[in-house]
Structures are given as C-alpha cells and as structure tokens.
C-alpha cells in the first residue's frame, strides 16, 4: 500500500521533497502527493529548536536498545508536515506539542508504537488525515491508539461533583481499552497544562479544574507519582493563584533554612549508617510538591512554617538485609514514633509495593518520615503504574476488584520496565478494564453509570420514573433502537416517550438495575389494584341493584361506616378492591348492609367436594402466592387441578377471587388476558397438599385395586376417593382422587402405577 517504508523514510529524511505519500484510491487524490510543506516545516521546527526525529530515536534507544526507529522517524516527518502552518496560542509551531508528548511517553518507557501515536495523536482531529491513512501508512495498532485518544478528547466533561468525577475516571479507563491510550492522554494533558499560560483565564480555570478532578487522581491511581505531582502543582497555580504565589514565596524564603535542615538530617543518618558498615546506601531528602504541602496546611490548618514533614527522606540499599539493618540504625539513633512503623517488605502490599516506612523524632524535635527500600524496589515503585496508588489513597475503601485490576496493571508496567522490546506484553494490555460497568450519557452530556447489560429502560428509569413509565423507544447515538438493546460505553441515549405509553411486564425480563425492576413491579401492582377496584365496583353495583338499591345510596347508609369496619377496611375504595380481588363477596356486603332483603337472594354454594370446600374457606390455599397482594381467596381451577410445582397462572374472577390454572390449561388460554395476574407457589407449598384426580386404565383381574393402592401408599399419597368400574370383561377404568404435595410426588406415583403389569395407561384428569 505504501512505498517500502524504511527506504522511503531514509530517502525522505535526507531529501524531504522526495517523500511521498500514496493516498488510498477511494480518496480520489492523485497517486503521489508530496508530503505538504515538509521542507518549510523542517526549517521552521529547527528554528524553534523542536527535538528532531534523530534526537527522539536516540532517547528511545536508551531503553529500547534494539529498536531501529524507522517507524518513529516516519511518524515524526508525517506529523511535522501535516501540522505545518498550525500554531499554538503562544505563537510557537503546533508540532512542538506532539513532540513534547512523545518525549513524556518515552519517560514512561512505552513502546515505539506509543511514541508514534504520541506524535500523531492530534492529526486526525486537527488535519485532513484519517484513521484509515494511519493504518495504511503506519499500522493498525498505531491507528487504534490515535483513534482512542481522539475519542477520549470528545467526551464531554460537565460535572465536578465527587462521585461524578470518580465515574468519569473509571469511564476514561474503560473507554481506553488499551492502557496506552490512557497513558498518552495523560501525557497530552500534562503538556497542555504546562503551556496553559497562553490561554484565556476562564479556559485556564476550566482545564485546571478538570485536570485536578479527573487526570491527577487518575495518574495517582496508575501509580505515576511524578505525573500526579506535576499535574497537581500546575492546577494549584491556576486554581488558587494567590495561595500558590504566597506558598511558593514561603518555600523559597525558607529554602535555605530547610535545605540546611535536610542536609543536617541526611548527614546524621549517613554517619550512623557508615558506623554500622552501610556505606553504599543512597540517601536523599527532598521537599514534597507544593500542592501536597498546601493540602497538608489546609487539613491541619497550619501555616507553612509549622509543617515539619514538608520533606521526605529515603534510604536506598542494595539488599533486603541492608534495609533491616538500616532501620535498626535509624531506630537506635532517633526515637521511633509508636504506631508509625510499617513493614511492606515482609508483608508487601497487594500491588507489590515494597518498602519500610517509619517516622522518628528528628533533631530539633521535629518528626521526620523515612522510607527504606532496595534500589530495585524503588525502581518498581517509581516506574510501575500502580506502585503508589494504595499508599497515597490510604484510608479510602478500595474494593478487592479494584485491587485486582491495579495489581494486574502494575505487573504489566513492571514487565515493561524490566524487559525491553517485547511486543507481547503490549498485546496483553488491550483488555477491558472495569468491564462490569457501562458508562453512558444523556443528550445534555450528563454521565449515567449502569451495570453491564443495562438497556434503555434502565436508562429511562434512571432519568425519571415518569420517563420510564412512558418510554416508547430510544435513540442511541442518534439511531432508533429497541428498548431491550444493550447499552455500550460512551453511548448517548435519548428516550422517546409518549403520554399514553405504559410499562410492560416483559421489561422485567431484561432490565438490569434494581431501580427499574422495583418501579416496573410497583407499576404493575398499582395497575392490578386499579383493575380490582373497577371489578369490585362493578360487582357491588350489580349486587346492590339486585337488592333494589344503588351504590350511591349505599354510601349514604347510616351503617356504612360500620360496614366498612365489619369487613376490616378503612375506605370504601379499599372495600371495592377487596371485592374485586374476591376476598369479600359482594353479596355478603349487600346482605350485611340490607339484612331485610337477604331472603330474596338465595346463594347456593356449590362445593365440588367437601374437602375442597373446606380449603376454600378463609384466605384460600396458603400454597399460592399472588404477585403483590396478601391474603387473597385463591381457587385452584377444577379443570386442571394444579399441584405445587406446576407452572401456573391466575385470573381475577368476578366475586370469586383468583382462580389458578395450569399454565397450559385450555381454559387459561381462553380467558381474558386483562384479568391475568401473576401467581406462584409459595415457599411452604411443599408442605401443603392439593387434591388431584388420577385415572388408571387397566385390564380386569382380581387383586388389582389392592396393588394400585399399595403404590399410592408407597409414595406417601393419601387417597381421598376411589371409583373403579369395569368397562367390559377385559378392561376397567379406575379414578383416584388423591392428595399430593407437589408435581414430583404425583409423577412418582404415576411411574409406580405404570410399572404394574395390568396397567395400560395412567393419566391425570383435566376437565
Ligand atoms: Mn494534544
């Protein structure tokens, strides 16, 4: 696709005019367009002392000695040519910025692809170059990284409240997918912060705030202490210019004094260590970064002069054994402060951070903090992405999941620091972090976080209950989608509503958030109540009319209030609902209120069998539970006699409560869907018994009945009634009404019966 990369670049580097790029055919550009303005670009960059491609390659070779740097050179030229003519606010050539970013990337010792991506990170956004061009000219890998960085730039950041900021940080990580995207983004931000001076004050504030809220903590999480400190100090300067200036002056003023103190302490420690034979250790004391001191002053409400531990001391040894010896020396020379000694060597932190920490009473009665570790441990702690994150955030709760993620991240960075050009490890970095959460936006740019798998319905309920209840459809990234579409990171979701649209029971099958689930259930329960209210009013009206009365008159009856309390209801509405659910018979209400007319209404109760009638009394079988309602009269359908364990469905029956059928019962299929109601077997259903009829077709021989009843006994099933009759001399039909606990027990009886030689067929009787 491209002219042989290496030769081409070499040629181009010496004679820029011959450096050509070949456009993909579909772009309809002449096949060999020279890199625009390369010569002028080179001249101008040289004038501004922008580091050259060779200088970058040399820097890269300090840690990737076997890299040839051809790709890096090519990227440098490509970026230089395309950014030519663009300027930063300061007037400097724009390309200074990508080159500076590339240098910061090298400070993190990332691979050549990352450095190239750093050089090219703004070309897609700011020049006509496309991601496809980068794929064609460089590699898919580099194109992906550039694309990722460009994408991160477009995320709107509008809120600064704490939780939102945390979510935002997580989202950045999640959207980065490839950790290099995030690291380049951090370098980009650091360089932009360091050149913020040229910006308008309001822009400075906004960018500094965003950096302090999002990027500095992110750098900290990733263990990049140096980057975090630099970002924070830059933010400090723009966000609190007065405090910054005065603290800087204070620090400057006391510098001599402090430096003398540090020197004194270092000398004291050094002498003691030498006396103990520890001559080779590296010893340092340096002031903490400004923003760190500032935070301490704020937290302790002290002026700078009284912040004693504004500098930290560090002892670096050659071996673990030396660490402990050094510690012994320090503790014998200075008095340790109780409770401040931490041994992270014996018990390394979850992220493998290793060091000894102690605080002692130093000279002049000031507390001093000392860290002791080997040089190797120090190298890991400085370079490793996550080496510092837990230490710095001590006291904050960190979930084990987070720990896992960062331990893993740190390991990756450790490999990076240890091995040089190993392509494999970068492939391992391309992993979804935080893949159990999904980050989405409202059209106004507000961030909404959901568990993975969440749908527009979850989103709608997160916006507002009313939006959820009237949701009709959704637009995701401007495209109309169904309500059960799974949301993805970065989706902008717009919910389309219609006033007469209603939640559907089916939504419960796919929503992921507890909030949406609860709201949908509430809605359905509410809906069932209002349906019961309608049915109840209807039934009462008819019952009163039969008694030559009306509902309105009944409400004015002198015993109306008494009647309500007789039926244990607070309001008339509640009474109607109870009637609607069948808990109270409408006729009974009429009979109670208008006793004189009672005789005219004979109510012959038709109990199918004495036992079943008994069961129906009170609140029905305790074995069936109705969604959202307690204490309802439930009847098991006579047509299909469901037993615990069967799939069942309920129907509101006028005046007779709820009838429960087997799910596949034809009666249930034919019933009015509006009367459907969710029912299920209660937990205790197993202990209850339900009547069921079993029909056994047999031959006709003596002793059969005894054998069959034996089978029922073996399965622990009680026979309520048996009806056996011979059809002819060879065949008989036997019906047993039995009590079973559940569908399993029934199945076991039927299996037992089928094993009998004379049994032709066993069936459960359904009407
Ligand atoms: Mn940039």
């Amino acid at each position: 696709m491209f002219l042989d990369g290496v030769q081409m670049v070499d040629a181009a580097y010496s004679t820029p005019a011959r450096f050509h790029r070949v456009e993909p055919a579909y772009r309809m550009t002449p096949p060999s367009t020279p890199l625009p303005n390369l010569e002028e670009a080179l001249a101008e960059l040289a004038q501004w002392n922008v580091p050259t491609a060779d200088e970058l390659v040399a820097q890269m070779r300090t840690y990737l000695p076997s890299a040839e740097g051809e790709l890096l050179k090519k990227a440098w030229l490509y970026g230089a040519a395309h950014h030519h003519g663009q300027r930063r606010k300061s007037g400097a050539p724009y390309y200074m910025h990508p080159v500076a970013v590339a240098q910061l990337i090298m400070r993190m010792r990332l691979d050549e692809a990352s450095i190239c991506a750093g050089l090219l990170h703004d070309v897609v956004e700011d020049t006509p170059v496309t991601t496809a061009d980068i794929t064609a000219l460089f590699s898919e890998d580099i194109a992906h990284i550039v694309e990722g960085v460009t994408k991160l730039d477009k995320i709107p950041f509008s809120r600064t409240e704490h939780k939102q900021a945390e979510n935002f940080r997580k989202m950045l990580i999640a959207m980065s997918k490839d950790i290099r995207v995030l690291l380049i983004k951090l370098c980009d931000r650091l360089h932009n912060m360091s050149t913020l001076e040229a910006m308008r004050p309001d822009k400075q504030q906004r960018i500094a705030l965003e950096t302090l809220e999002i990027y500095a903590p992110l750098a900290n999480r990733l263990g990049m202490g140096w980057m975090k400190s630099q970002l924070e100090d830059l933010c400090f300067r723009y966000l609190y210019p007065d405090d910054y200036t005065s603290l800087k002056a204070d620090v400057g003023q006391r510098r001599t004094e402090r430096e003398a103190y540090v020197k004194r302490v270092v000398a004291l420690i050094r002498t003691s260590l030498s006396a103990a034979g520890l001559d080779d250790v590296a010893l340092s004391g340096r002031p903490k970064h400004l923003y760190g001191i500032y935070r301490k002053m704020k937290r302790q409400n002290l002026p700078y002069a009284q912040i004693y531990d504004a500098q930290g001391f560090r002892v670096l040894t050659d071996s673990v054994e030396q660490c402990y010896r050094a510690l012994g020396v320090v503790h014998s020379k200075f008095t340790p402060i109780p409770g401040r000694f931490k041994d992270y060597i014996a018990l390394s932190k979850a992220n493998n951070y290793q060091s000894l920490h102690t605080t002692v009473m130093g000279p002049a009665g000031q507390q001093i903090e000392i860290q002791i570790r080997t040089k190797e441990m120090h190298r890991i702690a400085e370079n490793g992405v996550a080496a510092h994150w837990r230490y710095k955030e001590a006291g904050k709760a960190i979930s084990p999941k987070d720990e896992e993620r960062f331990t893993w991240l740190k390991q990756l960075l450790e490999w990076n620091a240890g091995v040089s050009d190993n392509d494999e490890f970068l492939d391992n970095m391309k992993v979804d972090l935080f893949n159990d959460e999904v980050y989405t936006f409202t059209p106004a740019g507000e961030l909404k976080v959901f568990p993975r798998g969440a749908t527009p319905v979850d989103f709608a309920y997160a916006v507002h209950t009313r939006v959820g209840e009237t949701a009709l459809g959704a637009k995701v990234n401007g495209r109309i989608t169904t309500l059960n579409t799974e949301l993805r990171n970065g989706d902008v979701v717009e919910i389309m509503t219609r006033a007469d649209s209603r939640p559907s029971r089916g939504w419960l099958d796919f929503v992921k958030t507890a909030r949406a689930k609860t709201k949908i259930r509430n809605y359905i329960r509410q809906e069932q109540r209002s349906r019961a209210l309608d049915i109840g009013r209807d039934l009462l009206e008819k019952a009163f009319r039969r008694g030559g009365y009306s509902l309105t008159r009944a409400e004015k009856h002198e015993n109306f209030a008494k009647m309500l309390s007789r039926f244990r209801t607070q309001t008339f509405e509640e009474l109607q609902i109870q009637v609607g659910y069948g808990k109270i018979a409408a006729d009974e209400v009429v009979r109670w209120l208008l006793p004189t007319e009672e005789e005219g209404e004979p109510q012959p109760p038709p109990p199918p069998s004495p036992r079943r009638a008994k069961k129906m009394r009170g609140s029905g079988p305790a074995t069936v539970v109705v969604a959202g309602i307690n204490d309802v009269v439930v009847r098991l359908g006579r047509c299909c006699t469901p037993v615990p364990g069967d799939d069942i469905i309920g129907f509101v029956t006028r005046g007779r409560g709820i009838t429960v059928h087997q799910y596949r019962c034809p009666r249930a299929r034919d019933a009015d869907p509006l009367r459907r109601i969710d029912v299920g077997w209660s937990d205790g259903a197993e202990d209850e018994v339900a009547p069921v009829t079993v029909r056994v077709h047999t031959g006709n021989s003596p002793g059969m009945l005894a054998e069959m009843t034996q089978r029922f006994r073996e399965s622990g099933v009680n026979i309520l009634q048996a009806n056996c009759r011979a059809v002819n001399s060879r065949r008989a039909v036997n019906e047993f009404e039995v009590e079973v606990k559940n569908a399993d027990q029934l199945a076991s009886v039927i299996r037992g019966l089928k094993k009998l030689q004379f049994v032709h067929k066993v069936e459960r009787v359904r009407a």
Side-chain angles (χ1 to χ4, degrees), residues 58-66 102 105-112 115 416-421:
Q59 196 182 336
M60 174 175 74
R61 286 214 183 112
T62 60
Y63 67 94
L64 292 175
S66 63
I105 291 165
M106 287 193 266
R107 184 163 169 188
M108 292 191 292
R109 306 171 133 231
L110 292 185
D111 65 340
E112 191 171 0
I115 305 165
N416 188 20
V419 301
S420 49
D421 28 354

Side-chain angles (χ1 to χ4, degrees), residues 72-289:
L72 176 50
K73 279 186 194 172
K74 186 160 115 182
W76 190 97
L77 287 168
Y78 191 76
H82 282 282
H83 280 299
H84 181 62
Q86 297 175 351
R87 311 213 155 265
R88 304 216 91 204
K89 278 269 153 60
S90 62
Y94 186 84
Y95 198 48
M96 273 186 137
H97 165 67
V99 171
V101 170
Q103 288 185 301
L104 287 168
I105 291 165
M106 287 193 266
R107 184 163 169 188
M108 292 191 292
R109 306 171 133 231
L110 292 185
D111 65 340
E112 191 171 0
S114 304
I115 305 165
C116 293
L119 289 170
L120 302 173
H121 81 270
D122 278 331
V123 291
V124 172
E125 186 66 20
D126 297 338
T127 79
V129 172
T130 65
T131 319
D133 294 339
I134 296 179
T135 309
L137 289 164
F138 297 94
S139 70
E140 207 166 302
D141 195 26
I142 294 174
H144 274 152
I145 302 174
V146 171
E147 193 179 21
V149 177
T150 309
K151 222 157 99 192
L152 287 193
D153 281 335
K154 289 189 176 150
I155 295 171
F157 174 71
S158 50
R159 298 283 183 97
T160 54
E161 60 186 279
H162 181 72
K163 193 168 160 24
Q164 195 81 356
E166 174 59 27
N167 284 333
F168 201 86
R169 287 194 289 271
K170 281 187 182 176
M171 182 190 55
L172 285 181
I173 297 180
M175 287 197 66
S176 299
K177 289 208 172 73
D178 186 326
I179 190 73
R180 291 175 296 179
V181 170
L182 198 60
L183 297 176
I184 292 171
K185 181 66 204 162
L186 283 169
C187 293
D188 179 43
R189 181 49 64 115
L190 179 57
H191 186 250
N192 282 334
M193 280 302 296
S194 66
T195 52
L196 207 54
E197 206 155 34
M199 293 281 197
R200 281 205 318 264
D202 60 317
K203 266 200 158 180
Q204 290 176 345
Q205 291 268 323
R206 189 183 60 74
I207 295 172
L209 187 64
E210 184 181 299
T211 305
L212 192 65
E213 295 267 350
I214 307 293
Y215 293 99
L218 198 55
N220 184 37
R221 273 292 174 83
L222 298 176
M224 296 184 293
W226 62 272
M227 180 170 283
K228 174 209 156 215
S229 305
Q230 287 192 18
L231 285 173
E232 280 185 349
D233 277 356
L234 287 162
C235 296
F236 182 30
R237 177 177 157 196
Y238 291 102
L239 289 175
Y240 310 100
D242 297 343
D243 290 349
Y244 175 82
T245 314
S246 82
L247 179 59
K248 208 176 170 202
D250 279 353
V251 171
Q253 231 167 37
R254 294 181 172 266
R255 175 166 293 144
T256 335
E257 187 187 322
R258 297 265 166 165
E259 275 171 2
Y261 179 74
V262 167
K263 250 187 203 157
R264 200 172 139 213
V265 173
V266 167
L268 274 172
I269 299 176
R270 160 120 19 236
T271 317
S272 319
L273 289 175
S274 293
L278 292 163
D279 288 307
D280 278 348
V281 299
L283 198 53
S284 66
R286 72 176 70 120
K288 293 179 174 166
H289 72 296

Side-chain angles (χ1 to χ4, degrees), residues 244-397:
Y244 175 82
T245 314
S246 82
L247 179 59
K248 208 176 170 202
D250 279 353
V251 171
Q253 231 167 37
R254 294 181 172 266
R255 175 166 293 144
T256 335
E257 187 187 322
R258 297 265 166 165
E259 275 171 2
Y261 179 74
V262 167
K263 250 187 203 157
R264 200 172 139 213
V265 173
V266 167
L268 274 172
I269 299 176
R270 160 120 19 236
T271 317
S272 319
L273 289 175
S274 293
L278 292 163
D279 288 307
D280 278 348
V281 299
L283 198 53
S284 66
R286 72 176 70 120
K288 293 179 174 166
H289 72 296
L290 285 182
Y291 189 68
I293 298 170
Y294 180 67
R295 235 186 345 224
K296 207 156 224 172
M297 287 163 59
K298 288 278 158 202
R299 202 165 48 223
Q300 297 173 2
N301 201 21
L302 288 174
Y304 172 65
Q306 280 169 312
I307 301 287
Y308 293 126
D309 51 358
Q311 50 276 312
F313 295 88
R314 194 172 285 152
V315 178
L316 301 181
T317 71
D318 288 322
S319 70
V320 171
E321 185 266 325
Q322 286 187 349
C323 287
Y324 288 102
R325 268 170 62 205
L327 179 76
V329 171
V330 167
H331 278 184
S332 63
K333 180 78 189 167
F334 307 102
T335 313
I337 309 293
R340 298 290 300 272
F341 169 63
K342 302 267 157 52
D343 185 347
Y344 296 120
I345 290 179
L347 265 175
S348 67
K349 293 193 177 197
N351 58 11
N352 289 337
Y353 173 82
Q354 288 193 299
S355 188
L356 300 174
H357 291 185
T358 188
T359 304
V360 297
M361 196 57 86
Q366 296 179 358
Q367 294 189 3
I368 51 176
E369 289 177 8
I370 304 175
Q371 299 177 350
I372 304 168
R373 53 186 178 241
T374 66
K375 286 163 189 162
E376 174 64 9
M377 289 171 187
H378 181 62
R379 191 184 60 77
I380 291 169
E382 285 292 294
N383 296 331
V385 155
H388 262 321
W389 69 276
R390 200 183 172 195
Y391 166 60
K392 292 296 180 194
E393 296 203 334
K396 265 194 203 169

